[in-house]
Amino acid sequence: MSEDNPPSTNGSANKGWIEKIVQTFAGEPKNKTELVDVITDAQQRDVINPETREMMEGVMEVSEMRVRDIMIPRAQMRTIEKDQSVEEFLPTILESAHSRFPVINEDKDHIEGVLLAKDLLEYAFIPGKEFQLANILRPAVIVPESKRVDVLLKEFRQQRYHMAIVVDEYGGVSGLVTIEDILELIVGEIEDEHDIDEDDMDGIRPLNKHTYSVKALTPLDEFNRFFETSFDMEEADTIGGIVLKAFGHMPQRDEEVSIDRINFKVTNSDKRRLLQLKVTLPDSDEPA
């Protein structure tokens, strides 16, 4: 071989990485638990960094999940009614800061389409242009609760849509899911400085004799048993759903509402859902 063309070092570099990978998986993991152990070992030996390990574990978790496991529940969906004027639904857009909104007819089981907030911009900058909500609606993508999350993510990418309406086996709307919800499972929650770690939040935790900290996703039957209440199980699956219905909008932190003499205060939430509530019972020792 001519000295003008020295051997490439690229092959040896690739070989080095291949040897590391072979060494990492030399244990031939037989299940996902063992595979996680191998990935952890790879991080400890600096073959991969901690962020890569977390993402790989997130990918494996996603492959086992169904849409029902990650969807935003029906009660927490922010929607717009098709007959509303801009003045009526604009506060919903501004308060929630979402980019997409299901547009409904009568109730959430009748989805007319999806409104993209950016589609309203041309009406703001073209004075006198006639506005018809129906003219700018995008088609709603419908997926079943049982759909695999990894399959849905692939469809999101291939078909270039970002939100899907989730329906149950009877065709009723049970929630919605976005591509951001799936990506956060892989790369981790995108938090702001006010967010509280959900892992640190107990389901029902007493603060004093009459006050409790309650996770919004606490099942309604569990809440009813604990507090001896009788909230309607047909109205919502969680106590957060009952509270959200009482507000009639997505509340911000520190907003309060009273239901059957029980005071509910929002202590933690994000742009899409309630996370934590402060529940204050009546002073009476009798059940609420």
Side-chain angles (χ1 to χ4, degrees), residues 96-111:
S96 67
H98 295 175
S99 60
R100 293 168 174 80
F101 298 84
V103 176
I104 64 174
N105 181 11
E106 296 182 358
D107 58 40
K108 292 179 180 178
D109 284 325
H110 298 84
I111 306 292

Side-chain angles (χ1 to χ4, degrees), residues 63 88 96 100 136 157 172 209 223 233 241 245 258 263 288:
S63 68
E88 290 174 324
S96 67
R100 293 168 174 80
I136 60 173
R157 296 178 58 211
K209 183 178 179 181
F223 185 93
M233 298 287 294
K245 184 175 181 180
S258 291
N263 181 265

Side-chain angles (χ1 to χ4, degrees), residues 27-80:
E28 297 184 2
K30 298 179 178 60
N31 53 54
K32 289 188 177 181
T33 300
E34 292 183 4
L35 181 56
V36 170
D37 292 338
V38 170
I39 294 173
T40 301
D41 181 64
Q43 179 210 320
Q44 293 173 346
R45 289 192 284 158
D46 294 328
V47 178
I48 59 176
N49 58 39
E51 291 76 16
T52 301
R53 175 186 63 79
E54 291 173 1
M55 290 178 63
M56 293 174 72
E57 292 178 358
V59 169
M60 288 190 292
E61 290 179 5
V62 165
S63 68
E64 297 178 336
M65 301 180 77
R66 304 287 174 172
V67 171
R68 69 170 68 91
D69 300 321
I70 68 166
M71 69 180 184
I72 297 169
R74 172 191 176 112
Q76 297 186 19
M77 290 171 52
R78 300 301 303 272
T79 60
I80 293 172

Side-chain angles (χ1 to χ4, degrees), residues 71-81 92 96 98 100-104 107-114 140-142 163-167 172-178 181 240-241 244-245 248-251 271-274:
M71 69 180 184
I72 297 169
R74 172 191 176 112
Q76 297 186 19
M77 290 171 52
R78 300 301 303 272
T79 60
I80 293 172
E81 296 183 13
T92 298
S96 67
H98 295 175
R100 293 168 174 80
F101 298 84
V103 176
I104 64 174
D107 58 40
K108 292 179 180 178
D109 284 325
H110 298 84
I111 306 292
E112 296 290 319
V114 176
V141 176
I142 309 296
M163 185 175 75
I165 305 299
V166 185
V167 297
V173 172
S174 53
L176 63 81
V177 62
T178 69
D181 296 323
L244 192 62
K245 184 175 181 180
H249 65 275
M250 180 58 68
K271 296 178 180 179
R272 298 190 301 272
R273 61 194 188 279
L274 300 180

Side-chain angles (χ1 to χ4, degrees), residues 196-239:
I196 299 174
D197 189 348
E198 291 188 56
D199 293 335
D200 294 335
M201 299 190 298
D202 297 328
I204 301 176
R205 177 167 54 88
L207 300 177
N208 56 48
K209 183 178 179 181
H210 298 291
T211 307
Y212 296 79
S213 178
V214 179
K215 195 170 183 178
L217 290 180
T218 298
L220 191 54
D221 58 346
E222 179 181 333
F223 185 93
N224 281 338
R225 286 196 305 269
F226 188 92
F227 291 103
E228 299 182 14
T229 51
S230 55
F231 289 117
D232 192 348
M233 298 287 294
E234 294 185 359
E235 290 190 11
D237 295 326
T238 67
I239 187 58

Side-chain angles (χ1 to χ4, degrees), residues 144-191:
E145 290 182 350
S146 58
K147 194 178 191 69
R148 283 173 43 184
V149 173
D150 56 345
V151 173
L152 179 59
L153 177 59
K154 184 177 181 180
E155 293 179 0
F156 273 147
R157 296 178 58 211
Q158 290 179 338
Q159 301 179 30
R160 297 187 179 182
Y161 56 86
H162 291 251
M163 185 175 75
I165 305 299
V166 185
V167 297
D168 59 25
E169 58 185 314
Y170 303 106
V173 172
S174 53
L176 63 81
V177 62
T178 69
I179 190 171
E180 289 83 0
D181 296 323
I182 302 177
L183 294 178
E184 285 185 347
L185 294 174
I186 299 173
V187 302
E189 186 77 19
I190 302 174
E191 302 176 339

